[in-house]
Amino acid sequence: RCRADKRVQPDMGAVKNVCVVGAGHVGAPHAAVLAQKCPDIKVTVCDHDERKVAQWNSSLLPFYEPSMQEVIEDVRGVNLFFSTDFASAIKAADMIMVSVSTPLKTEGTGAGYAPNLMCVERVARLIAESADGPKIIVERSTVPVKSADIIKRVLRFNNAHPMVVLSNPEFARQGSAMIDQSSPERIMVGGEDSAEAKAATAALVEIYARWVPRERIITSGLWSAELSKLTANAFLAQRISSINAISALCERTGADVDEVSFAVGVDSRIGRKYLTASVGFGGACYETHIRNLIYLCRSFRLPQVADYWQHVLTLNDYQKRRFASTVVASMFNTVSGKKLAVWGVAYKKNTDDTRDSPAFDVCKALLNERAQLCIYDPRVSSEATALGLCLADGQETLVECVSDAYDAAAGAHAILVLTEWDEFARLDFFRIFSQMEKPAFVFDGRNMLDHAALRAIGFNVIGIGKPVTPSPTVAKKKIDAVSAVGSLSQLHSLGD
Ligand SMILES: NC(=O)c1ccc[n+]([C@@H]2O[C@H](COP(=O)([O-])OP(=O)(O)OC[C@H]3O[C@@H](n4cnc5c(N)ncnc54)[C@H](O)[C@@H]3O)[C@@H](O)[C@H]2O)c1
């Protein structure tokens, strides 16, 4: 066993070289903004996926994020580099940021709930192998409380140099990651209560303070920082499940979820954000992180707390199933052989990420009913769609991907809006209606279209948490407006 040499301390004050391990949705945008804001710091992003690194070094980046390409092209080759050479990057770095994947375990103890920390442990071992001096290690992957201990122990047993581990959770949102990185609502840095950890925390805070107002930089204990990320995501997902639960009640009672949500949200204690009913939440984080939280609660023998969070997931699954059932029930109890246009499979707008997308669960349920799906997403490729759908034998013939929303809807019995891409609201619905089978259905899984105006054209519109028949005054107003203006898109451009 090697012991840390306490006499040689890292120079915590002067970070000039940062290595980011993991060139994914967290690592790459963060590294790009870091390089942009700190031209005197060399940032090297390392990943073991050679293809991905080659993509980062090309003009065809591995994924879409608004305005990321411009920033990368600005700093790449200047002070931002992408590489597979871990050893050199780690040796040269003062600070190493760990942004690797932490998927759920699929087998063994905790399968489906506990995170698989294999990648994090591997990175710790890589650092131990290559580091020839003291380093500050920054945990940016989302990990359960106490995970920093794993990194510390691997390093302590395998490397003689002093190392400090900090937690700096990522709060940026996919789809607006570059804005969130450039102007974050808060930065959190957690460290232990030791002189070295305090110095390392100060060094990291100094980096962020170059572009983030100091009052937005929170410092805390190591375990609080680790737990804050899981808690933040659990709260966000819980809000979505809460309004979705109310949407089911609205549909039974004739209340309108948007009216309820507005009235509830103007209470400043509650707030208006994240109160939009939808087909359900998705993405790489919410479900995974709630499962991690549940596992943590069970491990610490808090079954009631674990059950509370489990229900957020139960409700989300219910909402996706409910949506698919509504489609079938509304279309005379059968969608077999009917063409359904699916608009959007990304888990939300402004990203091409489809991980855990609710769209896939809805599509799978409808494929089991033998529906004929014609899918359009402005950013998701047909390959990614096929991969996400995990088609069963014989289902290939039931799915077609097209590159235009109009083509998807032509000849369809229904349109399903599953991602809230802005462009869907700007389409010419008169044209779409004329090319669809009748009755023409619209199932708005994001409540983003103008339902009354669509009804005025002749569509059967079913939203989430919406009364089937809208209040007569609202409907009349919209019908008059549509006939006065002539088309729905013109109506939108008038700011209706
Ligand atoms: N995606 C988000 O919006 C988001 C937000 C906050 C936190 N997180 C958390 O951040 C972490 C990363 O998430 P992501 O979305 O960027 O994942 P990702 O899959 O997009 O990227 C992870 C990258 O790590 C690389 N990697 C894995 N093991 C490696 C290893 N041993 N050495 C080098 N590279 C390795 C992978 O090749 C991949 O490129 C996860 O813990 C996630 O929960 C994600």
Side-chain angles (χ1 to χ4, degrees):
R1 174 182 166 181
C2 306
R3 283 190 182 278
D5 181 357
K6 293 281 180 201
R7 288 164 302 174
V8 190
Q9 290 305 326
D11 180 4
M12 306 293 186
V15 175
K16 289 282 166 229
N17 197 313
V18 172
C19 169
V20 174
V21 186
H25 291 81
V26 165
H30 180 248
V33 173
L34 183 63
Q36 185 192 41
K37 302 290 183 187
C38 308
D40 56 321
I41 296 182
K42 180 181 176 189
V43 183
T44 308
V45 189
C46 290
D47 203 291
H48 60 184
D49 184 336
E50 283 178 19
R51 227 187 87 224
K52 202 178 240 186
V53 171
Q55 284 177 309
W56 283 116
N57 282 321
S58 76
S59 55
L60 206 68
L61 304 184
F63 56 85
Y64 170 71
E65 190 61 50
S67 74
M68 181 175 70
Q69 181 115 17
E70 293 86 314
V71 177
I72 299 253
E73 282 172 2
D74 224 28
V75 286
R76 190 176 52 195
V78 180
N79 65 329
L80 175 70
F81 302 89
F82 292 93
S83 166
T84 49
D85 182 0
F86 290 92
S88 309
I90 289 170
K91 273 193 181 74
D94 312 303
M95 182 177 273
I96 300 158
M97 299 188 164
V98 183
S99 307
V100 294
S101 350
T102 49
L104 291 174
K105 278 182 81 173
T106 51
E107 304 170 312
T109 317
Y113 284 88
N116 186 340
L117 295 178
M118 188 181 74
C119 296
V120 173
E121 184 183 332
R122 266 199 205 139
V123 174
R125 290 184 188 280
L126 267 176
I127 298 171
E129 249 170 54
S130 307
D132 55 3
K135 310 282 173 198
I136 302 171
I137 321 292
V138 183
E139 194 184 68
R140 305 209 73 250
S141 297
T142 305
V143 287
V145 192
K146 302 269 179 188
S147 297
D149 259 350
I150 299 172
I151 302 176
K152 279 193 289 181
R153 290 183 66 195
V154 169
L155 292 171
R156 191 169 357 110
F157 279 88
N158 296 287
N159 189 293
H161 299 285
M163 310 273 177
V164 176
V165 180
L166 302 176
S167 167
N168 169 218
E170 177 59 85
F171 292 112
R173 299 159 297 174
Q174 276 180 240
S176 50
M178 300 308 280
I179 296 170
D180 292 350
Q181 295 290 357
S182 296
S183 180
E185 283 184 333
R186 83 301 212 180
I187 293 289
M188 186 168 199
V189 181
E192 282 183 319
D193 191 18
S194 66
E196 302 82 56
K198 281 181 182 155
T201 300
L204 184 54
V205 167
E206 279 315 309
I207 294 178
Y208 282 118
R210 308 244 205 130
W211 75 95
V212 182
R214 282 192 189 261
E215 62 276 14
R216 292 198 199 164
I217 305 176
I218 305 164
T219 55
S220 73
L222 196 48
W223 315 137
S224 305
E226 286 183 338
L227 186 57
S228 296
K229 175 63 193 174
L230 289 184
T231 307
N233 274 353
F235 272 49
L236 291 168
Q238 182 252 32
R239 258 173 99 87
I240 297 173
S241 279
S242 296
I243 198 67
N244 281 345
I246 296 304
S247 76
L249 193 56
C250 286
E251 286 165 31
R252 292 284 163 89
T253 55
D256 182 324
V257 75
D258 285 343
E259 292 176 353
V260 175
S261 156
F262 179 78
V264 169
V266 288
D267 184 330
S268 61
R269 292 169 302 174
I270 296 171
R272 296 203 48 204
K273 289 186 181 162
Y274 255 63
L275 277 187
T276 308
S278 70
V279 64
F281 58 76
C285 295
Y286 289 169
E287 172 140 1
T288 302
H289 295 163
I290 291 185
R291 284 174 181 271
N292 294 168
L293 194 60
I294 292 168
Y295 184 73
L296 208 58
C297 295
R298 292 205 178 119
S299 312
F300 285 99
R301 294 197 201 87
L302 297 166
Q304 292 83 353
V305 185
D307 289 350
Y308 173 79
W309 291 111
Q310 181 70 55
H311 276 95
V312 173
L313 298 181
T314 306
L315 207 290
N316 197 46
D317 286 338
Y318 168 68
Q319 189 75 349
K320 292 181 274 190
R321 275 200 315 277
R322 213 166 67 75
F323 184 83
S325 306
T326 302
V327 172
V328 178
S330 311
M331 298 179 72
F332 321 116
N333 275 328
T334 181
V335 288
S336 176
K338 291 180 183 168
K339 178 177 175 183
L340 307 182
V342 173
W343 285 358
V345 286
Y347 84 94
K348 64 172 182 177
K349 71 173 178 179
N350 294 338
T351 178
D352 54 5
D353 196 346
T354 55
R355 290 179 287 181
D356 267 340
S357 175
F360 287 143
D361 290 312
V362 171
C363 287
K364 283 178 202 163
L366 296 169
L367 285 172
N368 286 338
E369 300 274 345
R370 308 293 298 167
Q372 201 74 46
L373 304 184
C374 192
I375 301 176
Y376 166 67
D377 187 290
R379 288 282 170 187
V380 180
S381 67
S382 49
E383 292 79 17
T385 303
L387 212 65
L389 282 172
C390 314
L391 297 172
D393 276 351
Q395 285 186 334
E396 301 83 7
T397 54
L398 297 177
V399 179
E400 185 192 0
C401 292
V402 293
S403 53
D404 183 69
Y406 293 107
D407 288 347
H413 290 252
I415 295 166
L416 278 59
V417 181
L418 299 181
T419 309
E420 72 282 24
W421 288 104
D422 293 338
E423 67 172 61
F424 297 155
R426 294 193 292 263
L427 295 170
D428 180 348
F429 281 90
F430 282 102
R431 173 180 161 193
I432 290 168
F433 183 74
S434 70
Q435 292 172 349
M436 285 179 69
E437 294 288 336
K438 308 295 179 313
F441 290 90
V442 171
F443 297 93
D444 187 355
R446 299 288 179 167
N447 282 351
M448 64 168 294
L449 300 178
D450 188 334
H451 295 181
L454 290 177
R455 285 192 182 105
I457 295 172
F459 285 99
N460 272 294
V461 185
I462 290 118
I464 304 265
K466 292 284 184 180
V468 178
T469 329
S471 83
T473 24
V474 174
K476 167 115 189 17
K477 226 173 78 195
K478 292 287 166 141
I479 290 165
D480 292 347
V482 171
S483 16
V485 173
S487 91
L488 194 59
S489 47
Q490 280 174 287
L491 192 67
H492 280 295
S493 69
L494 289 179
D496 181 84

